[in-house]
Amino acid sequence: MLLAGGQGSRLGVLTAMMAKPAVAFGGKYRIIDFPLSNCINSGVDTVGVLTQYQPLRLNSHIGIGIPWDLDRNIGGVTVLPPYEKMNNTEWYTGTANAIYQNMQYMESYHPDYVLILSGDHIYKMDYEMMLSYHKSSGADVTIAVMPVAMEEAKRFGIMITDENGRIVDFEEKPEHPRSNLASMGIYIFSFDVLKRALTKNASQSGLDFGKHIIPWCRDEGYGLFAWQFEGYWKDVGTLTSYWQANMELIDIVPEFNLYEEYWKIYTKSLPQPPQYFGPDSAIERSIVGEGSEIYGEVYHSVIGCGVRIGAGTVVRDSILMNDCVIGERSTLDRVIAAEGVTIGSDVRMGDGEEQVNETGPQIYRDGLCTVGEQSLIPDGVTIGKNVMIFGATLPTDYPDGHLASGKTLIRNQGAS
Amino acid sequence: MKAVGIVLAGGGSNRMRELARKRAVCAMPIAGFYRSIDFALSSLSNSHIQTVAVFTQYHAGTLNEHLSSSKWWDFGRKQGGLYTFTPAITSENGFWYRGTADAIAQNLHFLKECHEPYVIITSGDCVYKLDFNKVLDYHIEKNADITVVCKDMPEGCDTERFGTLRMNEESRIEEFEEKPVIARSNTVSCGIYVIRRRLLIELIEQCDAEGRYDFVRDILIRYRSMKRIYGYKIRDYWRNIATVEDYFATNMDFLKPEIRRWFFGTYPDIYTKVGDQPPAKYNVGAKVHNSLISSGCIINGSVEDSVVFKGTFIGSNCYIKNSILLNDIYVGDNSYIENCIVESRSTLQANSYYKGEDGVRIVEEMNELFVL
């Protein structure tokens, strides 16, 4: 059961029109491709994807699951949105509540075990190994954990285990952590335990795994075990960590390697032609998706599919998602441009000194210039740092052709 | 659904030299991402032709691999489908396909069981994009028995390996020569024909009874005066790839923006089997100019005026110029490659030097695989 209904508000304007799991990552992927590919690579071929916030992009991406070979006669992928019921009708109010509302779906497959995943991390994990551990340890619930630095530990849910890996206690974002094993939000439940736990706690409002179900299981004396994961695991919950995780893909041999034959990551890819580089282009330390045409210069950037970069334009330390069009002689520095953004010619982005953003100081920071989906930036303007732009902006939105650092500019937000 | 499609994809070619050793001509990789047969299949699919037969013979396995699923071209439907016919021994027949007409004759049951009134026959080794509905309309309007799609080649073009034809002012074909030494016309047949299904069955049965096996020689040329055979001239891009030189030039054509715009930027699209390669990656020292690079590549060196196919690794300080690198190649550091076609899965050692002195050189080298 893959939880993909969250907004991910810390990704700011990137999730204005799509749920966080649908946000593009690493040129041609979307975040949800990673858990979905893990599923099929681990032999999990019955997957329910729970959607709620802005599901359109997610639905069209998943379709019937062809890219992940999840188009099955039995099982396969099923998208599970909240639905109207006879007596009470509600949205998914919490992670566990969402699973509870889909009890029928799970029961129809008579599972022995249920794997609960969230759709917002970048990692490669063999769930099969976790399941073997679950079986061999005789656990009722297994929680995937990974060791983090002690000073980092206070940001996570921390599991305290005995020498057998049994969880004896846990604490949520502790001030003085007693262990460095952080919960990754990945659970395996024996189905009967899950069913009992959900049914008993059904009336709890905002029913959540971390807050309610796991404590209940401990109090009831069920066997809770921690399975330790070692490998790359990246939370892309904030714009800064999203940007960093993208940039890490560019390293010579990245810690998270997409180029391995083993454990491939699948995504819905359209038949797009190869990328073309013009006679005067330059490119270094970058990854580029299919169908892009690059006439300018690109350094240390992640470029999606079908992007067009005009001659004389210099792109540095930026993420340009699918189908962005950049004019000529522009300069882009630390820009995150969502899908279908059009940037004119002679534009300078990421110019000047940093200023704290006026609307989302915790979101738009670290010098990043974030542009929302389908936005338009006119020719010849200069834009500062920590800026957010969304909508078809006009030259008149830029006094003296300039948008200062820390500004937020929203125009014609449209349907949303 | 006025027509069924037949793709003739059985050919090998001596003129492909070493490139034909590994695969059928129709399975030759094109433009970094596609294979030759994709162009015929996509045009059929985009013209809403839903039942398509592919006749394979030479190196049939390589094509079968590419055609392992018909979903890429959208033939995987309840109505219609993609059928591959490789010669089979039956109680009536123990021969390979002895010619194009024989290939159809051996699979005549396929045509007999269809209900569509027309058949579109196309070769699979040409790069083009064509709306067959327009050809069909033309065929019906002219009340033709057979319509041959043809194209004027530029003066001085080597027409020796094509069929050349001459039409009267009504576009009726008066003269058809197969592979003439000195051609009297620079209009060549594109290897694409439209014919009524019942007529085709009739002609093929006749040929078969007389022991004739070639569609062009024994049907088009032989019945030239008796049947109404018309030419349909196209002005768009069309190119046969069945020689090394043409293959090389066809790929290089895709470096031109107008060709890319026609095939990739103009509705409808060309489809192909899609892999799961990650995006291409450019490390420090990469320099790429006027080149096509496909997904899954890792580039550390210089690439100029070249086409690089999927999953190729180019080492540091390499210089690749005016070359075609096929799929999954490893090029070791400090290598120099100019005017070459490097065969797929080659592994070139560091410090290799390859240059096509006069004409294109084909490089195939299998060293122990180097792994990063």
Side-chain angles (χ1 to χ4, degrees), chain A residues 28 251 259 275-276 285-286, chain B residues 277 279 281-282 289-290:
Chain A
K28 64 187 284 191
D251 297 343
Y259 293 81
Q275 44 207 272
Y276 175 77
R285 294 186 297 143
S286 297
Chain B
Q277 283 83 9
K281 186 167 169 216
Y282 304 86
H289 298 297
N290 188 33

Side-chain angles (χ1 to χ4, degrees), chain B residues 205-220:
Chain B
E205 278 178 336
Q206 182 70 26
C207 273
D208 195 40
E210 293 167 357
R212 300 174 191 271
Y213 305 121
D214 191 75
F215 185 79
V216 174
R217 199 177 52 232
D218 300 326
I219 292 180
L220 284 184

Side-chain angles (χ1 to χ4, degrees), chain A residues 59-309:
Chain A
N59 287 340
S60 56
H61 183 64
I62 294 171
I64 58 167
I66 290 175
W68 306 273
D69 271 343
L70 285 169
D71 51 327
R72 301 273 163 162
N73 286 333
I74 299 165
V77 69
T78 311
V79 177
L80 304 167
Y83 56 96
E84 201 174 343
K85 296 164 206 73
M86 278 285 267
N87 303 318
N88 76 322
T89 295
E90 54 175 2
W91 294 97
Y92 295 154
T93 58
T95 50
N97 175 268
I99 303 290
Y100 174 67
Q101 292 196 38
N102 287 290
M103 191 61 83
Q104 263 185 1
Y105 166 77
M106 290 186 289
E107 278 180 329
S108 68
Y109 291 104
H110 309 288
D112 292 326
Y113 307 100
V114 176
L115 170 70
I116 314 274
L117 302 167
S118 61
D120 44 10
H121 296 114
I122 307 295
Y123 64 110
K124 294 180 184 176
M125 185 194 278
D126 191 346
Y127 304 133
E128 182 91 58
M129 283 168 71
M130 184 173 169
L131 183 61
S132 328
Y133 177 82
H134 179 85
K135 290 179 190 164
S136 65
S137 65
D140 296 307
V141 186
T142 302
I143 302 174
V145 296
M146 73 179 284
V148 294
M150 220 43 180
E151 51 272 20
E152 286 273 292
K154 57 169 79 77
R155 298 201 294 118
F156 294 96
I158 294 298
M159 303 290 146
I160 295 116
T161 58
D162 66 11
E163 64 278 9
N164 300 322
R166 191 181 174 112
I167 296 170
V168 291
D169 201 4
F170 45 82
E171 36 199 22
E172 189 65 24
K173 301 198 171 92
E175 203 51 46
H176 302 289
R178 286 186 281 155
S179 143
N180 68 337
L181 295 177
S183 164
M184 301 165 70
I186 298 168
Y187 312 100
I188 289 179
F189 282 84
S190 296
F191 183 60
D192 49 340
V193 176
L194 177 68
K195 192 173 168 184
R196 202 170 309 139
L198 291 174
T199 323
K200 291 273 186 216
N201 294 287
S203 55
Q204 172 74 43
S205 69
L207 190 62
D208 184 270
F209 277 102
K211 284 197 206 105
H212 309 114
I213 297 296
I214 301 298
W216 183 86
C217 288
R218 177 194 53 183
D219 297 343
E220 292 289 306
Y222 286 114
L224 270 63
F225 281 76
W227 179 73
Q228 200 164 324
F229 173 72
E230 267 148 28
Y232 185 92
W233 183 74
K234 189 91 183 175
D235 180 81
V236 287
T238 66
L239 273 181
T240 308
S241 66
Y242 170 80
W243 182 82
Q244 273 168 355
N246 269 285
M247 292 302 152
E248 280 170 12
L249 292 174
I250 299 171
D251 297 343
I252 297 270
V253 181
E255 207 186 326
F256 189 75
N257 198 342
L258 294 168
Y259 293 81
E260 292 167 331
E261 270 302 301
Y262 173 72
W263 216 267
K264 277 189 184 172
I265 303 299
Y266 308 102
T267 188
K268 178 180 173 182
S269 40
L270 301 165
Q272 295 232 42
Q275 44 207 272
Y276 175 77
F277 289 88
D280 303 311
S281 67
I283 182 148
E284 245 183 26
R285 294 186 297 143
S286 297
I287 59 177
V288 182
E290 290 123 0
S292 292
E293 299 223 334
I294 296 176
Y295 294 92
E297 298 172 31
V298 179
Y299 303 103
H300 199 252
S301 296
V302 175
I303 311 290
C305 302
V307 174
R308 202 185 150 85
I309 298 176

Side-chain angles (χ1 to χ4, degrees), chain A residues 27-42:
Chain A
K28 64 187 284 191
Y29 304 97
R30 293 180 189 278
I31 295 171
I32 197 170
D33 291 334
F34 296 90
L36 276 181
S37 301
N38 285 339
C39 278
I40 193 70
N41 287 339
S42 307

